[in-house]
Amino acid sequence: RPCVFSPEPAARVASRDSAPPTSKKRASVPTDPLSSNPVARALAAVWLRATNVEVRLAGRLVLEDVSLDVAPGGCLAVLGPSGCGKSTLLRVAAGLIAPSAGTVTLDDVALTAASAAPLRRRMGYVIQEGGLFPHLTARQNVTLGARFAGLGAEATRARVAELCTLCRLQEALLDRYPTELSGGQRQRVA
């Protein structure tokens, strides 16, 4: 079973060995320089709740009885040995696979086959090997979501600069292609 760790009190994790989450109170969304932009506000308002999630793949139990709450702007780390279900839990939370049992909600909307695509547009998910398009520069990869969401050029430039600072990535590196970046740089770009 994966170990889910949150350095923030707003996130609560439960398994069959602990009590279910009791706090229904939501933390406020952190102030964001793009808060006047409705798209940016929607992107920042993601709230994740998994309740008694179980996943069976090819008849094998891969994830068992996982429950967790993550507040908007919350930070959550999923730790565990290889094969314990960390990636499966993230894939369920992103709506890439459906749980065999239990429920997942994002901002109080049930994650179903019908709701998965629009909800997925409101979250970020970085796979272990990165997910960069090799024919695009790092900057083009980074700004794909903003262009898709209709964010203006100036707001996009400002957000890219902010994210480069946050990820400790020199903005000049964004003009390179993924093959010209180190593995760590590719992960930060993704």
Side-chain angles (χ1 to χ4, degrees):
R1 166 178 305 162
C3 171
V4 184
F5 169 75
S6 172
E8 303 186 17
R12 161 97 185 181
V13 179
S15 69
R16 78 164 94 198
D17 303 325
S18 63
T22 56
S23 173
K24 302 288 184 196
K25 184 177 178 184
R26 290 188 178 187
S28 60
V29 176
T31 304
D32 187 313
L34 300 178
S35 61
S36 62
N37 181 306
V39 173
R41 274 198 316 273
L43 291 172
V46 173
W47 162 262
L48 171 68
R49 170 170 284 152
T51 307
N52 305 113
V53 171
E54 180 177 287
V55 175
R56 290 184 179 276
L57 298 173
R60 186 174 145 256
L61 184 62
V62 178
L63 202 59
E64 181 181 11
D65 197 27
V66 175
S67 295
L68 61 88
D69 284 349
V70 181
C75 178
L76 185 74
V78 182
L79 309 171
S82 180
C84 73
K86 301 178 300 290
S87 294
T88 300
L89 177 60
L90 293 175
R91 289 171 61 205
V92 167
L96 299 173
I97 59 173
S100 306
T103 59
V104 177
T105 60
L106 291 167
D107 201 22
D108 292 327
V109 176
L111 187 59
T112 64
S115 68
L119 289 173
R120 215 175 6 252
R121 289 186 194 110
R122 298 175 52 198
M123 69 177 75
Y125 176 77
V126 180
I127 60 174
Q128 291 176 14
E129 298 301 319
L132 303 176
F133 293 104
H135 63 289
L136 299 178
T137 65
R139 185 178 311 278
Q140 291 168 322
N141 272 283
V142 167
T143 58
L144 273 175
R147 286 195 309 257
F148 183 73
L151 209 59
E154 187 53 41
T156 299
R157 273 191 290 279
R159 185 67 173 155
V160 166
E162 179 185 346
L163 292 172
C164 282
T165 300
L166 180 69
C167 294
R168 295 185 178 112
L169 185 71
Q170 296 173 347
E171 195 167 347
L173 293 174
L174 295 181
D175 296 321
R176 297 181 183 178
Y177 287 89
T179 57
E180 300 171 323
L181 300 172
S182 73
Q185 290 167 336
R186 283 193 302 269
Q187 280 191 326
R188 286 179 277 162
V189 167

